[in-house]
Structures are given as structure tokens and as C-alpha cells.
Amino acid sequence: MTVDNYAVAASGWAGGAELVYRPVARELLALAPHSLAGRTVLDIGAGTGAASTALAELGAQTLAVDLSHPMLSWHAADRPPAAVGDVTRLPVQTNTVDDAVAAFVFNHLRDPAAGIAEAMRVVRPAGALLASAYSNDSRSEVRDALDDAARSHGWTPPDWYAELKQHATPLLGTANRMRRVAAGCGLIDVAVGERPVEVGVTTAQQLVDYRLGQAQFAPWLRRLGPDEAVEARNRLIESIAPIMTPYRPIVVFLAALVPPAR
Ligand SMILES: C[S@@+](CC[C@H](N)C(=O)[O-])C[C@H]1O[C@@H](n2cnc3c(N)ncnc32)[C@H](O)[C@@H]1O
């Protein structure tokens, strides 16, 4: 059975983590090899809709898939049509969407090629696949200090998160690795970049809200309860404020085409 590690993360993700994920989604879509306006684009691993929102801004018709029903249900009435499903077994027929976006989801897989191949199955010939993953070089002293401060207040990284960081995320964490996996799957016109992104997270409050909004913190915050969670947030802000610098995650971007005839 597949476990939903994002089951209690939706409100924190939408209200905090998206401070980073929304601007990165816009940068990813800007790499599309053709205009996405009017096209049907599948948002794979859509979460609470960071990329779906950016797609709507560009005039695309979006469909969303995610393993996590609670993530997809967040403000569902204002969101595109959605279905729960695994990125390696998409609940979508072959050759039925014009393009696909996979923002920070292939990096959850021990076999990222399986996710890319499945995305290629559902995208029509000559459609685009856009994907993002964190670079293995994406480090931040202030973010590490924040995690240390959270540990000293009782947070421990969940096992799934430690495993993800150790075994899955690094597989697409360099431009070369992303390029090799994408080309190995048969994508063409493969363009890969690895660069810091100006996400506009410049204050300690924003960094804490982004970080605590991520799924690895959600069960801990829930256990603390609302009052203690607010207190923990304030203490984390205080502890990193003196060393705060703008947060610029380094992201590996992929933009490629599914071959025209298969
Ligand atoms: C890092 S979040 C990114 C969410 C969104 N794309 C964004 O940029 O804000 C990863 C998302 O992928 C989903 N996910 C993780 N593994 C998945 C899988 N095997 N199949 C489908 N979705 C998955 C999670 O539930 C979560 O919503």
C-alpha cells in the first residue's frame, strides 16, 4: 500500500511552502518550448496547485493528479478537475493531454525514469514535458539553522523524509543526471538548467512559514496543537532572524518534447 506522506500537509503547504513553490512553478513554465495557452496540460503531483495556478495564468486548461487526496482537496472548488493517482500509474488514457508538468514530484521516486516514461505515455506526440527537482547543491545555512532550532524544540525528521533525501532526491539532483534520465526515456530536444531561483523569500517569517509548511513538519505541528505551534514558529523566527539572508533554492529544470511519432 502506498503511504500518503502529505496527508496532513495541505494547509501549511498552501499557506507557507507555496511561497517558494509558486515562483519556481512560474519559472518552470517559462521554459516551455511552445505557448501553453489553450492547451490541455496535466499537472502531475499537483499538491495544493502551485503549478496549476501558474498554468491558469498562462491560459492553459489544466488537469491535476496527485497521490494525496487531502492535497488535491485543498480549495478544490477553485481548482482544475483532479484525480488521485500515482505518477507511475497515471489515471489518464494514453496520448490524451497536450503537455505535462511535474513540479518536484519525480524526485520522490526511487526510479524517476518510471515517472517520466508514464508522463510520456499520456502526452500526445510532440507535446512538452516540464519538470523540476532540487539540486544536490541547494544548501542554505539559515535553513539548516532553522531545522536545528526545530529539532531543539522537539521536531525529528520523519523516516520517509530522511529516506527521500538520501535515496530518491539525489537521483535527479544535477543537470547531468536529469539530462541522462530524460534522454534515456526517449525525450527529445532535452533542455536542462540548474540555477538559483529568486523566490522573494527575504524575511525570517517567510522562511519559517515556507519551511514549516512542508510535509515533514506537518505531523509535528499538529501534535503541538495551535497555541504551541504558534509559539514554536515565533521562537524559530527569533532564532534565525540574526542570520537571515534571502533564500535562493537551486533548482534543476527540465524542458523537453515527447517524440512526434511513436
Ligand atoms: C514537493 S510536493 C510538490 C507539490 C506541487 N507540485 C508544488 O510544486 O507545490 C510533491 C507532491 O507530489 C505528490 N506525490 C508524491 N509522490 C507521488 C506519487 N508517487 N504519485 C503522485 N503524486 C505524488 C505529493 O502528494 C505532493 O503533493
Side-chain angles (χ1 to χ4, degrees), residues 6 13 21 45-47 50 66-68 71 85-87 103-105 108-109:
Y6 286 72
W13 195 276
Y21 286 86
D66 198 288
L67 199 59
S68 174
M71 291 290 272
D86 193 291
V87 60
F104 298 101
V105 63
H108 285 65
L109 303 176

Side-chain angles (χ1 to χ4, degrees), residues 50-162:
S52 300
T53 303
L55 283 163
E57 288 165 2
L58 295 179
Q61 309 293 318
T62 305
L63 304 170
V65 171
D66 198 288
L67 199 59
S68 174
H69 185 266
M71 291 290 272
L72 280 184
S73 302
W74 182 257
H75 289 191
D78 305 324
R79 304 262 308 272
V84 172
D86 193 291
V87 60
T88 58
R89 290 182 304 277
L90 292 168
V92 178
Q93 291 191 342
T94 301
N95 289 355
T96 49
V97 296
D98 294 323
D99 308 289
V101 173
F104 298 101
V105 63
F106 292 148
N107 55 313
H108 285 65
L109 303 176
R110 293 280 192 111
D111 179 9
I116 292 178
E118 178 65 350
M120 291 172 69
R121 178 184 70 76
V122 303
V123 172
R124 293 195 180 101
L129 175 61
L130 306 171
S132 54
Y134 282 118
S135 161
N136 295 342
D137 289 334
S138 191
R139 302 206 176 83
S140 157
E141 210 176 295
V142 63
R143 188 198 57 199
D144 290 349
L146 192 166
D147 286 4
D148 287 345
R151 276 192 195 86
S152 73
H153 288 102
W155 172 69
T156 46
D159 290 348
W160 69 265
Y161 177 71

